[in-house]
Amino acid sequence: MEKRVLAFDFGASSGRAILATFDGKKIELNEVHRFSNDPVTINGTVYWDIQRLFFEIKQGMVKAKEFGGFDSIGIDTWGVDFGLLRKDGTLVENPVHYRDKRNSGMIEKAEEYMSKERMYDITGIQFMDFNTVFQLLSLKENRPYILDEAETMLFTPDLMNYMLTGVKSTEYSIATTSQMVDLKTNDWSDEIINALGLPKRLLTKIVPTGAVIGQLSDEICEELSLPKANVIAVAAHDTQSAITAVPCQDDDFVFISCGTWSLFGTEVKEPIINEASKRLNVTNEGGYDFTTAFLKNIIGLWLIQESRRQWKRENIEYSYADLEKLALECEPFKCFIDPDSPEFGSMGNIPKRVQEYCKKTGQYIPETPGEIMRCIYESLALKYRYTFDGIKECTNKEYDRIHVMGGGTKDKLLLQMTAESCNVKVYGGPIEATALGNVAVQLISDGAIKDIKEARKIIAEGENLTCYTPTENEKWEEAYKRFKEIIVK
């Protein structure tokens, strides 16, 4: 029997409603609705426009109905961000964006209450100042009245699920992005919450990925003239949805979920928490069936996207193809940046910051847009290599290929540079990995697909992967030596 499920995939700049049809052998995707996701800055605070995003969910469901309807719904989004609800279920304030300045200095503040080493031992999560635990600490330290007014905290996809069903719950993968989950128990860490003085009453029960949260509320069904449908707790963190769709049957594989962020890692049965993982600040994020995604968060296409926006602000319009062409025309390996250096994480003039970084580190200062793009492209590929070496050190394994998934697979220059830098074959695809992973979990939950291994087999057979082979290893090895000298200064 044909199954039809609706996947909502929210990124940092856009969202889609994708209606998937499964005939028992192949998954077909049909994008029925696309919309922008535009943060709003008010009096210096950056918010997500959650009401508008929920409006777009409704539009997506109506359009999906026009294309034949759906049996279930799953929502995945970016990690860490959340909404706070009062006792009556209304929002205390619009959810704040993870790039908001309120997070600055909170890692250091947390160390006054608990050592970083102990926090990592419990959670295995990479330290990033926008992790949920530090956002909550910022509220406790600077705006405690917000927490006092709240009864429940829900991560962005859980908040959307609540708006659809009236059920408050927290999906496992999105919970682990908070840096508040004990990976030994797969539950909230009382030790961290109590040490930082955070209100545990805000937290809801963690449910496993694939659980049925509830059904569309009577109110939603009446408003939109929809039949009842299950709402499924898919891997709500978009990275985990993408990992679910890795087109590989091997137990050991390396992936890059490539978009605004690049998530570079491997899937393991148990968390890896050792001296090497602590030194390299690698994360252990919960995945489907309580597996662990052992990965590193790297600033990804954000550097190219925000550079393009900056030039547009200066009335210079470039397409992504233009920027790739300009980069290719420039001399290679003249200068590098560490993509994860703090100055590149916030909105603003990325090209100027690239120039300032190169000047600060005593390198050639790129002058033209092409030179700046060449610097960014090569630096991303070399940071992938640096991370690849770290993953291999922590797992004590070798890998002969890298699977790159997501929107970044369209960037052929970056994928070829990744193959060159890491000196392994790189396979690009699927582009729609996140949506496919979202759909796969819904189909597994429904019983239409047996398990994750079968889902990956179905996805692999339905995709035409593109292979990139290294050809210039010696040049990239020399560049890598220089890159390491710069980023460890």
Side-chain angles (χ1 to χ4, degrees):
M1 177 188 278
E2 184 178 87
K3 292 290 182 181
R4 301 167 66 81
V5 302
L6 183 58
F8 285 95
D9 173 30
F10 288 84
S13 59
S14 66
R16 296 101 42 81
I18 297 177
L19 184 63
T21 305
F22 179 58
D23 62 6
K25 294 182 179 180
K26 186 176 181 181
I27 299 171
E28 292 190 1
L29 303 181
N30 177 21
E31 183 182 293
V32 297
H33 187 48
R34 176 179 283 269
F35 46 92
S36 65
N37 180 7
D38 304 296
V40 180
T41 301
I42 303 174
N43 295 330
T45 298
V46 187
Y47 298 97
W48 296 107
D49 193 351
I50 194 70
Q51 290 87 354
R52 177 174 168 250
L53 295 181
F54 190 63
F55 169 82
E56 301 293 358
I57 288 176
K58 290 181 178 180
Q59 297 306 299
M61 290 191 293
V62 170
K63 291 181 180 180
K65 178 188 174 185
E66 295 170 358
F67 281 90
F70 49 90
D71 303 307
S72 64
I73 295 173
I75 299 175
D76 66 76
T77 77
W78 61 95
V80 306
D81 286 341
F82 56 88
L84 293 170
L85 299 174
R86 299 183 182 90
K87 186 175 182 178
D88 63 2
T90 59
L91 281 165
V92 175
E93 63 176 354
N94 264 22
V96 176
H97 196 293
Y98 63 85
R99 293 194 190 277
D100 186 73
K101 61 187 178 182
R102 73 175 179 174
N103 310 321
S104 179
M106 285 300 114
I107 292 178
E108 293 75 17
K109 187 66 181 177
E111 285 189 272
E112 297 178 14
Y113 303 104
M114 174 180 273
S115 71
K116 289 175 69 175
E117 182 176 16
R118 180 56 185 155
M119 190 177 289
Y120 187 84
D121 284 340
I122 295 170
T123 67
I125 295 295
Q126 176 181 353
F127 282 87
M128 305 186 80
D129 65 5
F130 51 64
N131 290 348
T132 314
V133 68
F134 304 122
Q135 294 196 45
L136 288 172
L137 182 61
S138 172
L139 285 175
K140 176 211 161 191
E141 296 290 327
N142 301 311
R143 303 171 72 210
Y145 51 89
I146 295 291
L147 295 179
D148 292 342
E149 194 175 346
E151 180 180 78
T152 308
M153 183 196 86
L154 293 176
F155 294 92
T156 307
D158 301 317
L159 178 61
M160 293 172 174
N161 289 335
Y162 165 70
M163 292 174 173
L164 288 174
T165 66
V167 178
K168 299 174 184 176
S169 65
T170 303
E171 185 274 330
Y172 176 64
S173 75
I174 202 78
T176 63
T177 69
S178 68
Q179 206 164 11
M180 296 192 296
V181 172
D182 186 331
L183 290 184
K184 292 185 179 68
T185 64
N186 296 326
D187 204 352
W188 302 114
S189 168
D190 287 338
E191 184 176 345
I192 291 174
I193 292 164
N194 292 336
L196 272 60
L198 303 177
K200 188 178 180 182
R201 61 181 170 76
L202 297 178
L203 306 176
T204 73
K205 179 183 178 182
I206 296 175
V207 301
T209 309
V212 177
I213 295 170
Q215 290 194 318
L216 291 179
S217 68
D218 293 339
E219 179 185 356
I220 292 287
C221 291
E222 181 178 353
E223 177 190 355
L224 305 179
S225 298
L226 293 173
K228 288 288 186 177
N230 285 338
V231 177
I232 309 296
V234 298
H237 187 205
D238 52 11
T239 299
Q240 294 305 319
S241 274
I243 294 168
T244 303
V246 174
C248 183
Q249 292 294 288
D250 298 335
D251 290 334
D252 293 323
F253 57 82
V254 169
F255 62 84
I256 305 175
S257 179
C258 187
T260 301
W261 288 88
S262 290
L263 294 306
F264 191 124
T266 186
E267 186 178 79
V268 294
K269 297 296 184 185
E270 300 291 338
I272 298 174
I273 300 175
N274 55 33
E275 290 306 314
S277 71
K278 292 177 186 177
R279 172 170 47 83
L280 295 167
N281 197 22
V282 185
T283 207
N284 290 267
E285 188 177 298
Y288 182 79
D289 200 22
F290 296 103
T291 54
T292 296
F294 185 69
L295 59 84
K296 184 80 173 177
N297 287 272
I298 304 168
I299 287 183
L301 300 181
W302 160 259
L303 294 168
I304 298 171
Q305 295 162 350
E306 190 67 4
S307 293
R308 181 171 175 258
R309 282 189 283 268
Q310 178 59 35
W311 284 314
K312 188 174 182 179
R313 288 190 285 266
E314 297 171 5
N315 296 317
I316 307 171
E317 190 79 48
Y318 292 116
S319 68
Y320 289 113
D322 292 335
L323 294 176
E324 184 176 326
K325 183 174 182 291
L326 289 171
L328 276 169
E329 291 170 352
C330 294
E331 183 180 340
F333 308 132
K334 294 186 74 173
C335 53
F336 310 114
I337 61 169
D338 181 353
D340 295 312
S341 191
E343 59 262 46
F344 300 121
S346 58
M347 301 172 184
N349 194 335
I350 295 295
K352 182 179 179 182
R353 294 174 199 169
V354 169
Q355 293 172 321
E356 291 172 347
Y357 184 98
C358 292
K359 181 178 180 180
K360 177 180 68 176
T361 51
Q363 301 180 81
Y364 171 80
I365 302 172
E367 297 178 355
T368 67
E371 287 184 328
I372 291 168
M373 280 297 103
R374 185 88 192 196
C375 174
I376 289 173
Y377 269 110
E378 291 175 347
S379 298
L380 280 172
L382 290 166
K383 191 62 184 278
Y384 291 163
R385 165 66 185 279
Y386 184 78
T387 306
F388 192 33
D389 287 353
I391 295 292
K392 290 189 287 186
E393 178 187 352
C394 293
T395 62
N396 197 29
K397 293 178 180 179
E398 292 292 327
Y399 307 90
D400 64 358
R401 67 179 67 186
I402 297 172
H403 289 275
V404 180
M405 307 167 298
T409 59
K410 299 175 185 177
D411 199 322
K412 297 178 181 179
L413 176 58
L414 180 58
L415 267 63
Q416 183 61 46
M417 285 186 171
T418 301
E420 302 287 4
S421 178
C422 296
N423 197 31
V424 295
K425 289 183 178 180
V426 168
Y427 290 86
I431 293 175
E432 297 290 357
T434 306
L436 281 166
N438 181 320
V439 167
V441 171
Q442 293 189 62
L443 293 171
I444 294 170
S445 177
D446 182 76
I449 292 178
K450 178 182 176 182
D451 54 26
I452 186 69
K453 196 170 186 68
E454 181 180 324
R456 284 174 171 159
K457 183 173 185 290
I458 290 168
I459 290 168
E461 291 174 350
E463 291 292 321
N464 293 316
L465 305 182
T466 305
C467 182
Y468 300 82
T469 303
T471 60
E472 298 182 319
N473 181 243
E474 289 185 9
K475 294 179 182 178
W476 280 86
E477 282 295 328
E478 183 60 36
Y480 183 52
K481 292 176 184 176
R482 291 172 44 213
F483 175 78
K484 286 198 295 184
E485 291 174 358
I486 290 163
I487 68 170
V488 298
K489 282 184 179 179

